[in-house]
Amino acid sequence: MAVVAFDAYGTLFDISDLADVARPWFADQPAADAFCQRWRQLHLEFAWQSALAEQYRDFDQLAKQSLYAALAEHEMVRTDADAVVQQLLKHMQKVPVYPDVKPTLHQLGNYKTAVLSNGTLRSLQALAVANDVLFSFDFILSVDPIRTYKPSRKAYALVQSAFGCEKREVLFVSSNSWDIAGAKAYGFRTCWCNRSQAPYISHGQKPDYVIATLAELPAILAES
């Protein structure tokens, strides 16, 4: 495999960090964690709905919309909601990479690398710059040009278009089982980064490889 393509949110960038920012507005840390998980779920659901309805809105717009929806479920008053939205959306542009990201990318010098994300290009570039990994990738690929979202086949095709490669030459790495299933159905080799040791839940095909951290990735590439 000559190309390694990574999902962004939850794979490279630690979005669980957002719960620490949300903590002052909730009773305790578990409540803040649960809220941010719900926000993430709604964010993805809104993206898939917009894609299926062919009424595309970019991921940043949907982040704000889904955040207000999550806050409405928690019955927060508008003044509180506006403050939470402002702080969380601001922090979303600078969440950290996981500790294993930079060492792993450093070891992938013999491979072409890319980010393939539902995020907007401006947000992905901002995150890459904030974490000093912008030049660790040959391409940062957003779904914006195709105006739909993963797991659409059109999204995974962006990797092939960027590198001019065959499907079999790509290893796609994600922490999301639905993303792995989509990439596998498209024809990529897949590696599920199961940081939380969760069960694999998807109606699609299973990943070719399962790792607990990205630190295990170079060994897999060396053997494949």
Side-chain angles (χ1 to χ4, degrees):
M1 287 164 285
V3 175
V4 184
F6 295 88
D7 173 53
Y9 297 106
T11 303
L12 298 173
F13 302 108
D14 185 5
I15 54 177
S16 67
D17 185 67
L18 291 163
D20 294 333
V21 179
R23 170 64 185 89
W25 285 278
F26 294 90
D28 51 34
Q29 191 62 51
D33 292 340
F35 169 78
C36 285
Q37 290 170 8
R38 178 56 176 161
W39 173 28
R40 169 67 169 169
Q41 180 184 7
L42 288 172
H43 196 181
L44 291 172
E45 289 179 4
F46 285 11
W48 295 329
Q49 289 172 23
S50 74
L52 289 169
E54 297 182 353
Q55 295 180 329
Y56 182 76
R57 292 186 179 182
D58 73 37
F59 214 50
D60 290 344
Q61 296 177 63
L62 295 179
K64 185 175 183 178
Q65 182 181 346
S66 58
L67 181 49
Y68 271 112
L71 289 167
E73 287 186 349
H74 282 72
E75 299 181 346
M76 298 188 73
V77 298
R78 182 167 180 78
T79 52
D80 284 341
D82 289 340
V84 177
V85 167
Q86 182 179 9
Q87 289 297 318
L88 287 177
L89 292 181
K90 180 179 179 180
H91 193 73
M92 196 172 178
Q93 301 295 317
K94 54 184 180 180
V95 293
V97 291
Y98 287 96
D100 55 9
V101 169
K102 289 184 180 180
T104 298
L105 292 174
H106 182 71
Q107 295 181 62
L108 301 185
N110 294 329
Y111 297 89
K112 298 293 185 181
T113 56
V115 175
L116 174 65
S117 175
N118 283 338
T120 63
L121 183 59
R122 61 182 174 272
S123 290
L124 295 170
Q125 288 179 332
L127 279 172
V129 169
N131 286 282
D132 195 26
V133 294
L134 180 64
F135 298 108
S136 298
F137 302 99
D138 294 282
F139 292 99
I140 294 181
L141 303 171
S142 165
V143 299
D144 273 352
I146 58 171
R147 298 182 65 80
T148 192
Y149 287 104
K150 293 187 292 179
S152 168
R153 295 176 67 83
K154 294 179 181 179
Y156 302 108
L158 290 170
V159 177
Q160 279 192 276
S161 297
F163 290 101
C165 61
E166 300 293 331
K167 294 178 182 179
R168 58 182 172 79
E169 295 181 281
V170 178
L171 179 68
F172 182 73
V173 185
S174 178
S175 63
N176 300 298
S177 57
W178 59 265
D179 201 8
I180 289 294
K184 183 70 174 178
Y186 180 73
F188 288 162
R189 302 279 284 176
T190 56
C191 180
W192 183 35
C193 185
N194 185 14
R195 297 183 184 279
S196 62
Q197 299 299 296
Y200 184 79
I201 301 175
S202 174
H203 75 281
Q205 301 180 58
K206 293 184 178 181
D208 296 288
Y209 308 99
V210 179
I211 57 179
T213 73
L214 293 182
E216 300 171 52
L217 185 59
I220 287 174
L221 290 166
E223 295 173 2
S224 60

